[in-house]
Amino acid sequence: MELMGFRTGDGTGPLSRLLIDKSLSPVFQPIVSMRDGSIYAHEALIRGPKGMPLHTPDALLAAARKEGLLLDFEIACVAAALEQWSARSQPGRLFVNLSASALLELVRARSADALMKYVRELGLQPRMLVIEITEHEHVSDIKGLSEAVQEVQAAGVMLALDDFGDGRSSLRLWSELQPDIVKIDKYFTAELSRHAKKLQTLRALMQIAEIFGTSLVAEGIETADDLRVVRDLGISLGQGYFMGRPIPQPRDAIEAQATEVLRDQRVSVMPAMRTASASGRRREVKIVHAPTVATQTTHDEIDRLLEAHPGLHAVAIVDQGVPVGLIDRRQFMERYAKRYFKELYGTKPCVTFANLSPRLVERDHDIDELVGILTSQDQRYLTEGFIVTENGRYVGLGTGDQLVRTVTESRIEAARHANPLTFLPGNIPITEHIERLLASGGEFVACYGDLNNFKPFNDHYGYWRGDEMIRLMASLSISHCDAQRDFVGHVGGDDFILLFQSDDWESRCERLVEAFNAGAAALYDEPGQIAGGIEAEDRHGVLRFFPFTSLSIGAVRVRKGQFRTAEQVANAAASAKHGAKATHAGLFVRQGESMFAELGA
């Protein structure tokens, strides 16, 4: 069954032969609801035969232009996607890609009714189909395109505008076509958690979408941090490798790592506050551009290659773009110099003695992945380095020094704006968040949490156990706050800031105190638990008994106009904390008015 009578060329061009043989096949990537992580739809993306020059979309499009088959190629892609979707009896919506000119030509040649008849004959419902307009060139006939779109929408098909913001999909096109869905170009979501300007752009697009009644899809979500910001920003739909890469079989669920983020109740700090949590952060590793060899390359050829490149620390073995092994220079030269090696193995394939399980690191890598390599038992990367890939294909080599440097730089960067122990926002993002709350004019509660008898515990059991106590406070603070409305920051040491907008903040604090006190007691060893505390030296060097570490929280209600600066709010909360410790209260609430007067405002 064909969507329309498209040409396949004369069979002499590589793409023409693929069209004749119907060798195009779709892969499907999920489009995800940010509300609950369910799959809203799948987008069909076309691929050529695996291992062939025309496998990738870019190569296919280039061939279509060269052979003059661009329109016919696009239509063939849609036909392949619909037929495969029909064959799988897959429920849910399907996004298919068409350029504006292809959609216009289709409607003019066959009419929307004829197209919908074709869709129904495949056992599909038009209302579950979304035509995604992808622009490869400027749209000249916007009026004609608008009429075609209206005809298609009248037949029940939804319309999406792809890659908005990449310079080709314009605001005028959005206004003229009135699409049901607009997909935001991945530029605006790439490292969104680090770029305040991108966040502001997305907020502006959300306002436009509300005016036009359009749903938004954030494309290119590739990290946990970016997914969390997109979720908290309120964009309804998302798409990206982090939630699911394109695969031949449609998914029943998104990746577990994405589900965990969407269900995570931790506070997300918007990029204006510069959270620098190392977890999930992606960085681009530095690359040593180096020649590669094939699996059948001989040891004699490897020797000549290394002699020609004296600075090369290793050589990658690559098969059709995919790395399969690594040869360490030092080890190879030692082996090659041995007596009779050249006579016995000189003409043998290099894979004989190569490391066939080399370290592979994606060019756009996850820092946690690199930390895992640094702490692994296999430390060969320190001498032979590792192979850098991009989407699984070889792009170059990396060294052990580069690996250590990348991780170190990331940790230093993280420490500037986030506490290195808990990775909660530090002083700078705390200040920025308070300023944002003050600027909004809304009421909130500023709480300062401090641990009683923590120093004796830390001195007695050591820093590792002390760190465990601090992390306990951090995790419980997060779990007792509403991630959508409340903020948890770590000032340093055992001091924490909690900024509540939740109406039930008081009961949350009380439950936090109760939970922490119980958890802290469990960190003492058996003699300490029996005694209810420990004996330790006080600040004057006198040995005395210290009860279990406990939590005191001082709280200040902040109402509109009471404070002008974040420093005044923080000082008021700190003063309330002193009141809590002085009265031995788990939670001590002081009204903002009296504190405001004390601050000389």
Side-chain angles (χ1 to χ4, degrees):
M1 183 182 296
E2 293 183 349
L3 186 56
M4 63 177 286
F6 58 86
R7 296 185 300 114
T8 56
D10 55 12
T12 59
L15 179 62
S16 177
R17 290 194 293 272
L18 290 184
L19 296 181
I20 292 173
D21 297 338
K22 293 189 174 182
S23 297
L24 300 178
S25 58
V27 290
F28 302 97
Q29 185 175 30
I31 297 171
V32 181
S33 168
M34 296 290 97
R35 179 176 56 84
D36 56 8
S38 62
I39 294 179
Y40 170 81
H42 282 85
E43 179 182 357
L45 303 166
I46 211 68
R47 299 289 186 269
K50 284 187 177 180
M52 301 294 288
L54 295 186
H55 175 64
T56 65
D58 290 344
L60 287 167
L61 279 170
R65 292 191 183 97
K66 182 178 180 180
E67 298 180 37
L69 294 172
L70 188 57
L71 173 62
D72 308 283
F73 167 67
E74 288 194 58
I75 295 171
C77 291
V78 172
L82 293 176
E83 289 170 9
Q84 285 295 316
W85 191 258
S86 171
R88 287 176 169 81
S89 299
Q90 186 73 25
R93 290 180 175 83
L94 178 68
F95 282 58
V96 294
N97 295 289
L98 271 178
S99 67
S101 57
L103 176 61
L104 188 57
E105 185 67 25
L106 260 179
V107 173
R108 285 174 174 172
R110 288 298 179 111
S111 81
D113 289 338
L115 296 179
M116 293 312 105
K117 180 181 178 182
Y118 165 79
V119 171
R120 291 190 182 93
E121 287 175 351
L122 288 174
L124 305 175
Q125 294 298 320
R127 62 183 176 82
M128 303 305 288
L129 179 63
V130 183
I131 294 179
E132 184 174 328
I133 296 181
T134 58
E135 271 317 300
H136 308 301
E137 53 192 32
H138 179 69
V139 178
S140 57
D141 186 5
I142 290 186
K143 181 180 178 182
L145 178 61
S146 179
E147 292 173 352
V149 164
Q150 291 175 19
E151 189 175 341
V152 169
Q153 288 178 316
V157 175
M158 296 177 69
L159 180 77
L161 190 61
D162 189 29
D163 293 337
F164 184 85
D166 73 344
R168 295 173 301 199
S169 295
S170 67
L171 184 58
R172 181 188 172 188
L173 203 60
W174 186 348
S175 178
E176 291 274 359
L177 300 185
Q178 295 289 307
D180 303 282
I181 297 169
V182 166
K183 301 181 77 174
I184 304 170
D185 185 68
K186 61 185 179 182
Y187 166 80
F188 295 103
T189 53
E191 296 191 325
L192 172 62
S193 57
R194 299 176 60 188
H195 296 283
K197 291 182 179 179
K198 289 184 178 182
L199 177 71
Q200 297 305 322
T201 301
L202 290 184
R203 283 178 169 157
L205 291 178
M206 291 174 68
Q207 292 179 338
I208 296 172
E210 185 175 357
I211 293 171
F212 289 142
T214 309
S215 297
L216 294 180
V217 178
E219 293 186 294
I221 299 174
E222 297 189 3
T223 72
D225 288 344
D226 292 342
L227 176 58
R228 191 173 288 114
V229 172
V230 169
R231 176 200 66 182
D232 293 349
L233 193 56
I235 295 176
S236 57
L237 300 170
Q239 184 177 5
Y241 284 175
F242 187 76
M243 294 178 288
R245 290 175 175 266
I247 57 175
Q249 181 64 36
R251 297 171 180 266
D252 295 324
I254 63 174
E255 295 288 349
Q257 59 185 3
T259 299
E260 183 179 353
V261 170
L262 291 175
R263 292 178 178 175
D264 190 359
Q265 293 302 303
R266 288 182 298 173
V267 172
S268 63
V269 181
M270 295 300 178
M273 291 173 280
R274 300 186 181 183
T275 294
S277 169
S279 179
R281 174 64 53 80
R282 304 186 81 85
R283 298 171 61 94
E284 187 170 295
V285 70
K286 294 181 180 179
I287 296 174
V288 176
H289 295 285
T292 64
V293 297
T295 54
Q296 295 303 312
T297 302
T298 67
H299 291 104
D300 288 340
E301 291 171 324
I302 295 293
D303 178 60
R304 290 193 289 271
L305 176 65
L306 291 176
E307 185 177 356
H309 296 83
L312 199 60
H313 70 279
V315 179
I317 305 172
V318 178
D319 184 14
Q320 295 184 351
V322 179
V324 296
L326 190 64
I327 299 173
D328 175 59
R329 181 191 189 95
R330 181 183 58 80
Q331 291 182 355
F332 175 85
M333 298 306 293
E334 289 178 355
R335 185 178 289 114
Y336 194 78
K338 288 183 178 179
R339 192 175 184 183
Y340 302 125
F341 183 90
K342 285 185 278 188
E343 290 78 5
L344 293 174
Y345 298 103
T347 59
K348 299 293 183 182
C350 62
V351 293
T352 307
F353 298 103
N355 175 12
L356 299 181
S357 300
R359 282 289 183 182
L360 304 180
V361 174
E362 272 289 301
R363 188 174 192 171
D364 183 24
H365 58 271
D366 191 313
I367 287 299
D368 287 343
E369 175 190 351
L370 299 192
V371 173
I373 295 175
L374 289 176
T375 57
S376 67
Q377 294 182 348
D378 185 357
Q379 297 288 293
R380 284 180 293 179
Y381 70 87
L382 289 173
T383 55
E384 67 181 27
F386 53 91
I387 295 175
V388 183
T389 60
E390 189 164 13
N391 295 325
R393 303 185 70 82
Y394 173 87
V395 292
L397 299 177
T399 66
D401 288 343
Q402 290 173 344
L403 184 66
V404 174
R405 188 179 301 113
T406 300
V407 172
T408 302
E409 289 174 354
S410 174
R411 293 309 192 205
I412 292 173
E413 179 186 353
R416 292 174 181 171
H417 297 282
N419 187 281
L421 176 60
T422 62
F423 294 110
L424 286 174
N427 289 308
I428 291 177
I430 290 171
T431 298
E432 292 176 345
H433 191 65
I434 294 175
E435 289 174 346
R436 182 174 296 178
L437 289 171
L438 290 174
S440 72
E443 295 185 0
F444 64 99
V445 177
C447 296
Y448 200 117
D450 185 45
L451 306 187
N452 304 305
N453 301 325
F454 173 71
K455 186 179 184 303
F457 175 90
N458 195 52
D459 293 343
H460 182 81
Y461 289 111
Y463 290 109
W464 290 107
R465 191 83 69 91
D467 288 350
E468 191 174 354
M469 182 81 77
I470 297 297
R471 284 192 290 266
L472 172 68
M473 175 61 186
S475 63
L476 288 176
S477 296
I478 291 169
S479 65
H480 283 78
C481 287
D482 182 341
Q484 300 297 323
R485 307 186 68 182
D486 309 325
F487 177 99
V488 180
H490 189 177
V491 177
D494 59 336
D495 295 333
F496 290 80
I497 288 284
L498 297 89
L499 304 168
F500 286 99
Q501 296 182 85
S502 296
D503 295 333
D504 60 344
W505 65 272
E506 195 164 359
S507 61
R508 288 178 181 271
C509 287
E510 290 170 347
R511 293 195 300 270
L512 171 59
V513 170
E514 182 179 355
F516 175 83
N517 291 348
L523 293 179
Y524 286 73
D525 58 18
E526 186 176 353
Q529 291 184 21
I530 294 173
I534 56 174
E535 284 193 348
E537 291 184 355
D538 61 17
R539 298 181 184 276
H540 304 289
V542 178
L543 188 67
R544 66 184 185 88
F545 181 77
F546 291 91
F548 289 143
T549 300
S550 61
L551 172 62
S552 288
I553 297 178
V556 175
R557 299 176 188 267
V558 180
R559 295 184 171 87
K560 185 176 181 178
Q562 288 182 324
F563 297 97
R564 291 192 299 268
T565 67
E567 183 181 8
Q568 289 175 340
V569 174
N571 288 340
S575 180
K577 179 258 298 188
H578 291 305
K581 294 177 76 73
T583 58
H584 303 288
L587 174 63
F588 179 85
V589 182
R590 178 171 287 176
Q591 296 302 318
E593 292 87 348
S594 61
M595 289 307 308
F596 196 55
E598 290 179 24
L599 291 168

